[in-house]
Amino acid sequence: MLEVSITKPIVVVDLAKYRIRIHKRTIHILGDPENILLLVNPEERTLGVVCCKKGEKGSHPVSLHTLKRKNCFELYSRSLIQTLRSVYPNWNEGEKYRMVGELFVAENVVKFNMSASSPIGNGKNKPI
């Protein structure tokens, strides 16, 4: 089983529910931004989470108030999940995958490598 440090940035991609869970720690590592942007690099097979300005095209507002009560920030996007599956077809439909990321301080981005993802159970298991 993969050992994950709680100090590392983590995202979970849930293919069954078309959901991406960005763990609270990941948002904190980025400096608690009010808005984030998700970037997909098909050549490197990576997913990036980057801070951005309010209103930037494709950005998602992060409710820091909600993060105080929850352990993650959730995004639901069928099109994004389909894009991720086309970039990394090794993922099985209906599964959940955890990715541990790396912070690039100069760019203020966390990058997650899809080929280093690990399955954490099928979509029928209880939520993580």
Side-chain angles (χ1 to χ4, degrees):
M1 183 169 178
L2 176 69
E3 227 177 280
V4 177
S5 168
I6 60 170
T7 61
K8 294 282 189 178
I10 297 172
V11 299
V12 173
V13 178
D14 184 342
L15 301 177
K17 296 184 179 178
Y18 302 102
R19 173 177 58 196
I20 295 177
R21 285 184 166 169
I22 303 170
H23 285 226
K24 182 189 295 190
R25 179 70 182 150
T26 304
I27 301 295
H28 290 325
I29 286 170
L30 288 169
D32 294 321
E34 292 183 10
N35 292 275
I36 58 169
L37 189 61
L38 300 179
L39 306 171
V40 178
N41 183 326
E43 291 82 29
E44 293 182 8
R45 292 185 167 174
T46 57
L47 171 68
V49 180
V50 63
C51 302
C52 67
K53 296 177 183 173
K54 182 178 180 179
E56 190 167 327
K57 185 176 180 177
S59 68
H60 301 277
V62 177
S63 170
L64 298 178
H65 176 71
T66 302
L67 273 181
K68 288 180 183 179
R69 296 175 308 176
K70 292 186 162 191
N71 290 325
C72 62
F73 172 69
E74 295 181 345
L75 294 170
Y76 291 83
S77 175
R78 183 179 299 262
S79 62
L80 179 57
I81 296 298
Q82 289 171 339
T83 297
L84 293 175
R85 286 219 49 219
S86 71
V87 168
Y88 195 68
N90 296 8
W91 283 348
N92 297 319
E93 190 171 334
E95 292 281 339
K96 294 177 190 171
Y97 292 88
R98 177 184 291 122
M99 293 184 283
V100 178
E102 181 180 354
L103 173 66
F104 291 85
V105 178
E107 297 84 15
N108 203 24
V109 64
V110 177
K111 187 162 61 168
F112 300 91
N113 188 332
M114 288 183 250
S115 23
S117 62
S118 58
I120 56 173
N122 66 31
K124 295 175 185 150
N125 288 347
K126 75 177 204 178
I128 60 166

